[in-house]
Amino acid sequence: MKLTTGLAMAGAVAVLAACGGGSDLGGETQVDDSGARGSLVYNPPLQVTALAADAFTQQLQAGGASGQALLAVAGTPKCDVSVRYFEYGTVGGAGEATNASGALMVPSGAAAGCGGPHPIVLYAHGTDTNRDYNIADITNPARAGASEGTLLAAMFAAQGYIVVAPNYAGYDVSKLSYHPYLNADQQSKDMIDALTAARKALPAVGGEDSGKLFVTGYSQGGHVAMATHRALQTAGVSVTASAPMSGPYALGAFGDAVFYGNVNLGSTVFTPMLTTSYQKAYGNIYTQPSDWFEAPYASGIEALLPSTTALGDLIAQGKLPESHLFSNVSPGPAFDAITPPTQPPELAPLFALGFGSDNLVKNSARVAFLADAQEHPDGAVPTATTGMPATGAANPMRQAFIKNDLRGWTPQSPVLLCGGNADPIVFYNINTGLMAQLWSSLVTAHLVTVLDVDSAPADATDPFAAAKVGFAQAKAATASQGGTNAVVQAYHGTLVPPFCAAAARGFFQQVLATPS
């Protein structure tokens, strides 16, 4: 989940034209059209571009403020990078066979760390409404996914990491008609299938796996990264370390908070993606979309997102309301105080944006959800008790949230949780903060590091001082140009990501340097 103009990192790093390379299959092409999970459809994968380290540096420098900002955070590229596009077999939310695509970035060069075996970074991207999303197409700045792909190339590949970054089922060339959004089981399988396929390609593209595996991702990708770490650990596959960033990990608590009126920015986009995902996977969220959605929006909503139509156009066409998730007419006296909430006062204006007369979700659906939440309360929302997900929930949407909630597992390798405490899209306290609290009492608590980039450095020895200072400077610059509202709009999708990504790389480097 992340929200900017197009629910991506648009504007963060909108740079890069092709730097050499081109369409090169690198010799005889092998084809696997079996559709099996983890199959690599074309081997070797298509080369999108080859980035020489010095030319990459020059293009970032010439890329305006966004390119220069990325260069400052990521550091000067030291490795050449081959960016390749691959297609692989995976499954959908109901276990149906399908395909997906992604990016494989392989470093090379004479600089230290650029040759020989490389660690792998398996990356999960954030929410994007554009069905044409392709994180490998970094030579086309207008393409959805290009800026996030550029961030990965600069932050990880150009510093000596092999990068595997799936586009996910339901995007780009995937035949799946929907995206299994925040489906922990499916999305972790998708990630593992992409990794399996990418590893098959490495011998043909000059890549060598060191055996060190790092898993990270931002926003939706934070949830996916944590789910993937959990799945790999359960399967007995070693994860060197992970760094989930700004993700909705405690999905049961987060969902309850939203229905209690704590409506986050972007909720009118996230909600139909979630309901469609869970309806396709479990088949019981509703009998028909009009059970859940108001009449102006119910028709066609299951096929609405992701879309090849821009989000702004969908809103202008009346397919979605801009921000009104719930009705501003209370569904009953018991709900007056949360339609919308007025507490805490500093968040009341944000919550109020989620209520209006052109609301997306019907009052009847909200009441049914809240009745179940009151009868079977979550352990964190609205009152902190056990901190764990609700038991005995009967509402199908709450059951789906709980099924995909990531509380209740214990990592056995190092984890960095990174985010910003004022996030208006993925609330920090009931996601990052709650996971940190649950893990703090475990015997493996020493494996968990928590970073709030929107905080002051603890002292001169704070290993994340640079990320915190850099974030504060970026936040101040945004405020000086557009005021408080500009900060709110940019916080999750633009301000936090590069600093958490830099912190993740530093964390991975620290793990690599620590004797096992």
Side-chain angles (χ1 to χ4, degrees):
M1 295 182 176
K2 64 183 175 181
L3 185 66
T4 61
T5 305
L7 293 179
M9 282 185 194
V13 214
V15 293
L16 271 193
C19 177
S23 298
D24 174 20
L25 292 174
E28 183 178 352
T29 303
Q30 298 177 351
V31 179
D32 182 351
D33 56 4
S34 67
R37 283 189 55 194
S39 58
L40 177 63
V41 178
Y42 302 106
N43 191 19
L46 173 72
Q47 180 168 281
V48 177
T49 189
L51 300 166
D54 56 352
F56 192 9
T57 302
Q58 292 170 9
Q59 290 193 29
L60 290 174
Q61 289 172 334
S66 58
Q68 293 163 17
L70 175 58
L71 187 61
V73 175
T76 302
K78 66 178 184 178
C79 304
D80 301 334
V81 178
S82 171
V83 179
R84 292 182 177 264
Y85 171 85
F86 70 103
E87 187 179 339
Y88 58 97
T90 188
V91 292
E96 66 272 46
T98 191
N99 64 316
S101 62
L104 171 62
M105 303 181 184
V106 180
S108 62
C114 297
H118 301 280
I120 292 178
V121 168
L122 179 59
Y123 179 82
H125 72 75
T127 306
D128 202 292
T129 62
N130 194 324
R131 201 192 191 288
D132 288 336
Y133 184 98
N134 181 8
I135 204 166
D137 194 8
I138 68 172
T139 64
N140 180 5
R143 182 71 176 264
S147 59
E148 203 158 1
T150 301
L151 175 66
L152 294 179
M155 191 68 69
F156 295 106
Q159 301 298 326
Y161 293 85
I162 293 171
V163 174
V164 178
N167 293 322
Y168 303 150
Y171 286 94
D172 189 43
V173 297
S174 177
K175 299 172 185 176
L176 198 65
S177 63
Y178 67 99
H179 170 52
Y181 188 59
L182 294 178
N183 181 322
D185 177 68
Q186 186 281 334
Q187 294 220 259
S188 59
K189 288 176 178 174
D190 196 333
M191 291 278 282
I192 293 168
D193 294 343
L195 176 63
T196 300
R199 279 177 163 157
K200 293 175 181 177
L202 289 178
V205 299
E208 187 177 356
D209 179 4
S210 73
K212 301 294 185 180
L213 175 62
F214 298 100
V215 184
T216 187
Y218 188 80
S219 194
Q220 172 193 358
H223 180 275
V224 176
M226 187 179 289
T228 302
H229 186 166
R230 182 182 67 174
L232 288 167
Q233 180 175 294
T234 300
V237 177
S238 177
V239 175
T240 307
S242 71
M245 303 177 288
S246 297
Y249 319 115
L251 207 52
F254 193 12
D256 281 8
V258 171
F259 274 77
Y260 273 112
N262 296 218
V263 181
N264 56 325
L265 281 183
S267 61
T268 58
V269 169
F270 306 137
T271 300
M273 291 186 73
L274 282 163
T275 53
T276 297
S277 170
Y278 297 153
Q279 178 69 16
K280 296 291 186 181
Y282 314 130
N284 66 345
I285 303 302
Y286 45 66
T287 302
Q288 52 193 8
S290 58
D291 296 339
W292 245 77
F293 299 105
E294 294 285 5
Y297 310 112
S299 178
I301 199 164
E302 287 186 330
L304 191 64
L305 296 172
S307 173
T308 55
T309 302
L311 177 59
D313 291 338
L314 293 177
I315 293 171
Q317 293 166 9
K319 301 293 181 64
L320 287 173
E322 185 171 9
S323 65
H324 297 156
L325 184 66
F326 299 127
S327 173
N328 57 2
V329 176
S330 174
F335 305 104
D336 288 352
I338 55 172
T339 308
T342 57
Q343 299 296 324
E346 64 273 16
L347 292 177
L350 171 64
F351 299 155
L353 291 174
F355 293 80
S357 58
D358 60 338
N359 56 293
L360 179 65
V361 174
K362 300 176 79 168
N363 262 343
S364 56
R366 186 183 179 210
V367 167
F369 188 104
L370 286 174
D372 193 77
Q374 291 169 339
E375 185 175 356
H376 306 285
D378 185 272
V381 173
T383 304
T385 54
T386 64
M388 294 298 290
T391 57
N395 179 271
M397 192 64 176
R398 288 195 80 225
Q399 290 176 336
F401 282 147
I402 293 165
K403 184 178 182 67
N404 294 285
D405 193 300
L406 299 178
R407 288 173 284 178
W409 77 288
T410 305
Q412 296 173 358
S413 54
V415 176
L416 170 68
L417 294 173
C418 185
N421 69 71
D423 197 321
I425 290 180
V426 180
F427 300 143
Y428 182 92
N429 287 340
I430 59 174
N431 287 291
T432 300
L434 181 54
M435 293 303 297
Q437 177 186 341
L438 291 172
W439 283 339
S440 66
S441 60
L442 302 175
V443 293
T444 55
H446 67 284
L447 295 173
V448 180
T449 301
V450 183
L451 169 60
D452 173 9
V453 295
D454 196 1
S455 63
D459 51 44
T461 63
D462 188 338
F464 300 113
K468 293 177 180 179
V469 171
F471 176 84
Q473 293 171 341
K475 182 179 176 182
T478 301
S480 68
Q481 294 171 4
T484 301
N485 185 61
V487 172
V488 171
Q489 294 295 327
Y491 197 99
H492 181 84
T494 301
L495 290 174
V496 174
F499 297 101
C500 274
R505 191 184 72 197
F507 182 71
F508 295 161
Q509 291 171 329
Q510 180 183 11
V511 171
L512 287 172
T514 302
S516 56

